[in-house]
Amino acid sequence: MRLTTDMWVSALLRRVFAAGGFAAIVKRGATEAGAVFVLARDRLGQVELYAPAPQTSYDTRRPDERHFTSIHAGEDAEALDRRLEKEKRFDPDIWVVEIEAGAMPVEELISVTKP
């Protein structure tokens, strides 16, 4: 049984705070099964946007784990906002969670796969 998106996001926020970072829900989506986008910001102004990974990247041994892939990186906040608006128009039920992981690598907070 897969965790609801609401519960998964709550757990992510707790992990980030426990690691000394900061996290906030920018957009709350569908409670049960909304797609999650993670906006990771570092202290130098670099931003990376992670989207749900394609179904082909899921491991059959752990099918319930959520996987992410990087779809945008850099300092261009306007390009990032345009990308998120496009995603929101395509699926209004998405979640957007912004994190500043602090000393912990993002890859330790979410499962990141290479495209």
Side-chain angles (χ1 to χ4, degrees):
M1 185 169 156
R2 190 171 190 171
L3 288 175
T4 64
T5 302
D6 187 42
M7 187 172 290
W8 187 89
V9 169
S10 294
L12 173 62
L13 269 59
R14 282 190 214 101
R15 286 192 311 269
V16 172
F17 285 123
F22 174 78
I25 298 171
V26 176
K27 182 188 180 307
R28 185 176 298 274
T31 302
E32 296 294 322
V36 179
F37 288 78
V38 178
L39 180 62
R41 187 178 304 277
D42 71 14
R43 294 183 176 152
L44 300 175
Q46 292 292 320
V47 181
E48 192 156 2
L49 180 61
Y50 296 92
Q55 293 288 55
T56 56
S57 65
Y58 281 76
D59 187 348
T60 56
R61 291 171 286 147
R62 296 181 355 202
D64 296 333
E65 185 174 323
R66 292 176 188 258
H67 296 275
F68 295 86
T69 187
S70 176
I71 60 171
H72 178 90
E75 296 178 353
D76 188 358
E78 288 180 19
L80 181 66
D81 288 340
R82 285 191 304 272
R83 178 63 188 256
L84 281 172
E85 286 305 315
K86 179 181 172 185
E87 295 293 343
K88 289 176 193 175
R89 283 192 305 272
F90 178 73
D91 181 5
D93 290 332
I94 68 168
W95 290 69
V96 179
V97 179
E98 184 170 341
I99 64 172
E100 187 176 294
M104 181 174 280
V106 173
E107 292 79 9
E108 289 186 27
L109 296 167
I110 60 174
S111 178
V112 178
T113 60
K114 303 296 179 198

